[in-house]
Short mmCIF file of all heavy atoms in Angstrom, two decimals:
data_model
loop_
_atom_site.label_atom_id
_atom_site.label_comp_id
_atom_site.label_asym_id
_atom_site.label_seq_id
_atom_site.Cartn_x
_atom_site.Cartn_y
_atom_site.Cartn_z
N LEU A 16 8.13 15.99 -13.48
CA LEU A 16 8.60 17.42 -13.23
C LEU A 16 9.97 17.74 -13.59
O LEU A 16 10.20 18.91 -14.06
CB LEU A 16 8.24 17.59 -11.69
CG LEU A 16 6.74 17.66 -11.26
CD1 LEU A 16 6.67 17.70 -9.84
CD2 LEU A 16 6.08 18.81 -11.94
N GLU A 17 10.94 16.77 -13.29
CA GLU A 17 12.28 17.21 -13.48
C GLU A 17 12.50 17.33 -15.11
O GLU A 17 13.27 18.27 -15.63
CB GLU A 17 13.22 16.05 -13.14
CG GLU A 17 13.51 15.99 -11.71
CD GLU A 17 14.28 14.81 -11.24
OE1 GLU A 17 14.87 14.04 -12.21
OE2 GLU A 17 14.34 14.54 -10.02
N LYS A 18 11.77 16.50 -15.93
CA LYS A 18 11.84 16.71 -17.35
C LYS A 18 11.26 17.95 -17.86
O LYS A 18 11.78 18.65 -18.71
CB LYS A 18 11.11 15.45 -17.94
CG LYS A 18 12.02 14.15 -17.83
CD LYS A 18 11.22 13.07 -18.66
CE LYS A 18 11.96 11.83 -18.52
NZ LYS A 18 11.24 10.69 -19.03
N GLN A 19 10.19 18.37 -17.16
CA GLN A 19 9.43 19.74 -17.57
C GLN A 19 10.43 20.78 -17.29
O GLN A 19 10.58 21.80 -17.93
CB GLN A 19 8.21 19.75 -16.78
CG GLN A 19 7.13 18.99 -17.48
CD GLN A 19 5.73 19.08 -16.74
OE1 GLN A 19 5.71 19.66 -15.53
NE2 GLN A 19 4.70 18.66 -17.27
N ASP A 20 11.15 20.67 -16.00
CA ASP A 20 11.90 21.83 -15.58
C ASP A 20 13.12 21.95 -16.64
O ASP A 20 13.64 23.05 -16.83
CB ASP A 20 12.47 21.61 -14.18
CG ASP A 20 11.39 21.85 -13.09
OD1 ASP A 20 10.38 22.46 -13.52
OD2 ASP A 20 11.50 21.48 -11.95
N GLU A 21 13.71 20.81 -17.16
CA GLU A 21 14.76 20.79 -17.91
C GLU A 21 14.36 21.55 -19.28
O GLU A 21 15.17 22.32 -19.76
CB GLU A 21 15.16 19.36 -18.41
CG GLU A 21 16.07 18.70 -17.18
CD GLU A 21 16.18 17.27 -17.40
OE1 GLU A 21 15.95 16.90 -18.60
OE2 GLU A 21 16.79 16.59 -16.46
N THR A 22 13.15 21.32 -19.76
CA THR A 22 12.72 21.91 -21.00
C THR A 22 12.28 23.36 -20.97
O THR A 22 12.55 24.10 -21.70
CB THR A 22 11.54 21.16 -21.63
OG1 THR A 22 10.60 21.12 -20.68
CG2 THR A 22 12.07 19.64 -21.98
N THR A 23 11.83 23.67 -19.69
CA THR A 23 11.33 25.04 -19.44
C THR A 23 12.28 26.04 -18.82
O THR A 23 12.21 27.23 -18.96
CB THR A 23 9.98 25.16 -18.66
OG1 THR A 23 10.22 24.56 -17.41
CG2 THR A 23 8.83 24.38 -19.42
N GLN A 24 13.25 25.47 -18.02
CA GLN A 24 14.29 26.34 -17.54
C GLN A 24 15.27 26.95 -18.42
O GLN A 24 15.56 26.38 -19.42
CB GLN A 24 15.25 25.49 -16.52
CG GLN A 24 14.58 25.36 -15.19
CD GLN A 24 15.56 24.71 -14.11
OE1 GLN A 24 16.44 24.14 -14.62
NE2 GLN A 24 15.20 24.68 -12.86
N ARG A 25 15.61 28.28 -18.25
CA ARG A 25 16.49 28.83 -19.00
C ARG A 25 17.94 28.78 -18.43
O ARG A 25 18.00 28.56 -17.25
CB ARG A 25 16.00 30.30 -19.17
CG ARG A 25 15.91 31.16 -18.09
CD ARG A 25 15.35 32.51 -18.46
NE ARG A 25 15.00 33.25 -17.28
CZ ARG A 25 15.89 33.94 -16.58
NH1 ARG A 25 17.17 34.03 -16.87
NH2 ARG A 25 15.50 34.54 -15.42
N HIS A 26 18.87 29.16 -19.18
CA HIS A 26 20.25 29.15 -18.65
C HIS A 26 20.33 30.14 -17.56
O HIS A 26 19.92 31.29 -17.77
CB HIS A 26 21.20 29.36 -19.91
CG HIS A 26 22.64 29.08 -19.54
ND1 HIS A 26 23.46 30.06 -19.01
CD2 HIS A 26 23.31 28.02 -19.60
CE1 HIS A 26 24.68 29.46 -18.83
NE2 HIS A 26 24.74 28.25 -19.10
N PRO A 27 21.12 29.79 -16.54
CA PRO A 27 21.27 30.95 -15.40
C PRO A 27 21.87 32.12 -15.78
O PRO A 27 21.59 33.21 -15.33
CB PRO A 27 22.19 30.13 -14.32
CG PRO A 27 22.13 28.60 -14.71
CD PRO A 27 21.69 28.54 -16.23
N GLN A 28 22.71 32.11 -16.85
CA GLN A 28 23.50 33.32 -17.34
C GLN A 28 22.60 34.12 -18.43
O GLN A 28 22.85 35.28 -18.63
CB GLN A 28 24.77 32.93 -17.99
CG GLN A 28 25.78 32.31 -16.99
CD GLN A 28 26.18 33.10 -15.80
OE1 GLN A 28 26.16 34.43 -15.98
NE2 GLN A 28 26.21 32.54 -14.65
N ALA A 29 21.52 33.41 -18.87
CA ALA A 29 20.74 34.08 -19.93
C ALA A 29 19.83 35.14 -19.31
O ALA A 29 19.20 34.97 -18.32
CB ALA A 29 19.90 33.01 -20.58
N LYS A 30 19.58 36.25 -20.12
CA LYS A 30 18.84 37.35 -19.53
C LYS A 30 17.28 36.90 -19.92
O LYS A 30 17.04 36.28 -20.82
CB LYS A 30 19.18 38.70 -20.17
CG LYS A 30 20.58 39.15 -19.78
CD LYS A 30 20.89 40.57 -20.42
CE LYS A 30 22.10 40.95 -20.03
NZ LYS A 30 22.53 42.25 -20.48
N LYS A 31 16.36 37.53 -19.21
CA LYS A 31 15.00 37.21 -19.47
C LYS A 31 14.45 38.12 -20.43
O LYS A 31 13.29 38.04 -20.88
CB LYS A 31 14.25 37.11 -18.10
CG LYS A 31 14.11 38.46 -17.43
CD LYS A 31 13.41 38.28 -16.09
CE LYS A 31 13.54 39.46 -15.23
NZ LYS A 31 13.01 39.33 -13.94
N GLY A 32 15.16 39.21 -20.81
CA GLY A 32 14.66 40.10 -21.88
C GLY A 32 13.90 41.37 -21.42
O GLY A 32 13.53 42.18 -22.14
N ARG A 33 13.74 41.48 -20.06
CA ARG A 33 13.14 42.63 -19.57
C ARG A 33 13.45 42.81 -18.08
O ARG A 33 13.78 41.77 -17.33
CB ARG A 33 11.58 42.52 -19.70
CG ARG A 33 10.94 41.40 -18.94
CD ARG A 33 9.48 41.31 -19.06
NE ARG A 33 8.97 40.08 -18.49
CZ ARG A 33 8.95 39.94 -17.17
NH1 ARG A 33 9.24 40.74 -16.28
NH2 ARG A 33 8.49 38.73 -16.65
N PRO A 34 13.43 44.10 -17.66
CA PRO A 34 13.79 44.36 -16.28
C PRO A 34 12.67 43.93 -15.37
O PRO A 34 11.57 43.94 -15.70
CB PRO A 34 14.05 45.76 -16.17
CG PRO A 34 13.18 46.34 -17.28
CD PRO A 34 13.36 45.36 -18.31
N THR A 35 13.01 43.51 -14.10
CA THR A 35 12.11 42.99 -13.13
C THR A 35 11.24 44.31 -12.71
O THR A 35 11.97 45.36 -12.27
CB THR A 35 12.77 42.33 -11.98
OG1 THR A 35 13.38 41.29 -12.42
CG2 THR A 35 11.60 41.91 -10.87
N PRO A 36 9.97 44.24 -12.67
CA PRO A 36 9.19 45.53 -12.23
C PRO A 36 9.32 45.54 -10.81
O PRO A 36 9.45 44.67 -9.97
CB PRO A 36 7.79 45.12 -12.79
CG PRO A 36 7.80 43.78 -12.90
CD PRO A 36 9.08 43.29 -13.24
N LYS A 37 9.16 46.82 -10.33
CA LYS A 37 9.16 47.20 -8.87
C LYS A 37 7.85 46.65 -8.21
O LYS A 37 6.82 46.54 -9.06
CB LYS A 37 9.18 48.56 -8.57
CG LYS A 37 10.63 49.05 -8.88
CD LYS A 37 10.86 50.62 -8.68
CE LYS A 37 12.08 51.17 -9.09
NZ LYS A 37 12.17 52.67 -8.96
N ARG A 38 7.68 46.34 -7.07
CA ARG A 38 6.42 45.90 -6.45
C ARG A 38 5.44 46.85 -6.67
O ARG A 38 4.19 46.47 -7.06
CB ARG A 38 6.67 45.66 -4.98
CG ARG A 38 5.51 45.12 -4.32
CD ARG A 38 5.70 44.77 -2.94
NE ARG A 38 6.19 43.47 -2.79
CZ ARG A 38 6.57 42.84 -1.70
NH1 ARG A 38 6.30 43.39 -0.57
NH2 ARG A 38 7.11 41.54 -1.72
N SER A 39 5.59 48.23 -6.39
CA SER A 39 4.58 49.20 -6.72
C SER A 39 3.98 49.14 -8.08
O SER A 39 2.80 49.28 -8.28
CB SER A 39 5.05 50.50 -6.23
OG SER A 39 6.11 51.00 -7.08
N GLU A 40 4.92 48.98 -9.05
CA GLU A 40 4.38 48.85 -10.52
C GLU A 40 3.69 47.61 -10.71
O GLU A 40 2.60 47.76 -11.50
CB GLU A 40 5.73 48.97 -11.42
CG GLU A 40 6.40 50.15 -11.38
CD GLU A 40 7.73 50.16 -12.15
OE1 GLU A 40 7.97 49.04 -12.78
OE2 GLU A 40 8.46 51.08 -12.30
N ALA A 41 4.05 46.56 -10.17
CA ALA A 41 3.37 45.34 -10.40
C ALA A 41 1.88 45.46 -9.78
O ALA A 41 1.02 44.94 -10.48
CB ALA A 41 4.18 44.19 -9.77
N GLU A 42 1.82 45.98 -8.52
CA GLU A 42 0.69 46.13 -7.90
C GLU A 42 -0.37 47.10 -8.78
O GLU A 42 -1.53 46.94 -8.84
CB GLU A 42 0.79 46.53 -6.54
CG GLU A 42 1.36 45.49 -5.45
CD GLU A 42 1.65 46.06 -4.18
OE1 GLU A 42 1.37 47.27 -3.88
OE2 GLU A 42 1.95 45.16 -3.32
N THR A 43 0.13 48.07 -9.18
CA THR A 43 -0.54 49.11 -10.01
C THR A 43 -1.10 48.46 -11.25
O THR A 43 -2.22 48.58 -11.65
CB THR A 43 0.27 50.36 -10.40
OG1 THR A 43 0.80 50.80 -9.24
CG2 THR A 43 -0.50 51.44 -11.10
N ASN A 44 -0.31 47.74 -11.98
CA ASN A 44 -0.65 46.97 -13.19
C ASN A 44 -1.71 45.95 -12.90
O ASN A 44 -2.68 45.88 -13.67
CB ASN A 44 0.52 46.26 -13.87
CG ASN A 44 1.47 47.25 -14.59
OD1 ASN A 44 1.11 48.42 -14.89
ND2 ASN A 44 2.80 46.78 -14.85
N ARG A 45 -1.62 45.26 -11.78
CA ARG A 45 -2.64 44.31 -11.52
C ARG A 45 -3.97 44.94 -11.15
O ARG A 45 -4.99 44.35 -11.51
CB ARG A 45 -2.02 43.54 -10.07
CG ARG A 45 -2.75 42.16 -10.10
CD ARG A 45 -2.15 41.23 -9.10
NE ARG A 45 -1.47 41.86 -7.88
CZ ARG A 45 -0.20 41.89 -7.69
NH1 ARG A 45 0.66 41.27 -8.43
NH2 ARG A 45 0.44 42.50 -6.66
N ARG A 46 -3.94 46.14 -10.55
CA ARG A 46 -5.21 46.74 -10.20
C ARG A 46 -5.81 47.28 -11.51
O ARG A 46 -7.07 47.27 -11.72
CB ARG A 46 -4.97 47.89 -9.12
CG ARG A 46 -4.85 47.52 -7.78
CD ARG A 46 -4.99 48.61 -6.80
NE ARG A 46 -4.05 48.33 -5.70
CZ ARG A 46 -2.93 48.94 -5.56
NH1 ARG A 46 -2.60 49.91 -6.22
NH2 ARG A 46 -2.23 48.74 -4.51
N ASN A 47 -4.96 47.87 -12.37
CA ASN A 47 -5.47 48.58 -13.54
C ASN A 47 -5.99 47.58 -14.63
O ASN A 47 -6.85 47.82 -15.39
CB ASN A 47 -4.42 49.48 -14.14
CG ASN A 47 -4.19 50.64 -13.30
OD1 ASN A 47 -5.02 50.96 -12.52
ND2 ASN A 47 -3.08 51.37 -13.64
N ARG A 48 -5.39 46.32 -14.62
CA ARG A 48 -5.73 45.30 -15.59
C ARG A 48 -7.27 45.02 -15.52
O ARG A 48 -7.93 44.83 -16.66
CB ARG A 48 -4.90 44.11 -15.44
CG ARG A 48 -4.83 43.30 -16.74
CD ARG A 48 -3.75 42.10 -16.42
NE ARG A 48 -2.44 42.76 -16.19
CZ ARG A 48 -1.64 42.08 -15.50
NH1 ARG A 48 -1.79 41.05 -14.84
NH2 ARG A 48 -0.50 42.57 -15.29
N VAL A 49 -7.68 44.80 -14.36
CA VAL A 49 -9.23 44.36 -14.28
C VAL A 49 -9.99 45.59 -13.78
O VAL A 49 -9.85 45.89 -12.61
CB VAL A 49 -9.29 43.16 -13.29
CG1 VAL A 49 -10.74 42.82 -13.20
CG2 VAL A 49 -8.49 41.98 -13.72
N THR A 50 -10.70 46.18 -14.68
CA THR A 50 -11.54 47.31 -14.36
C THR A 50 -13.05 46.86 -14.34
O THR A 50 -13.59 46.89 -15.46
CB THR A 50 -11.26 48.51 -15.22
OG1 THR A 50 -11.44 48.04 -16.54
CG2 THR A 50 -9.91 49.10 -14.94
#
Side-chain angles (χ1 to χ4, degrees):
L16 287 175
E17 284 174 15
K18 286 181 182 174
Q19 284 179 348
D20 286 344
E21 287 172 8
T22 57
T23 57
Q24 273 186 347
R25 59 185 170 80
H26 192 271
Q28 299 297 325
K30 294 183 177 181
K31 63 182 170 187
R33 59 179 172 78
T35 304
K37 294 180 181 174
R38 176 175 282 182
S39 60
E40 291 173 3
E42 287 175 357
T43 306
N44 286 341
R45 201 166 33 243
R46 276 193 222 108
N47 289 344
R48 205 173 295 148
V49 181
T50 54

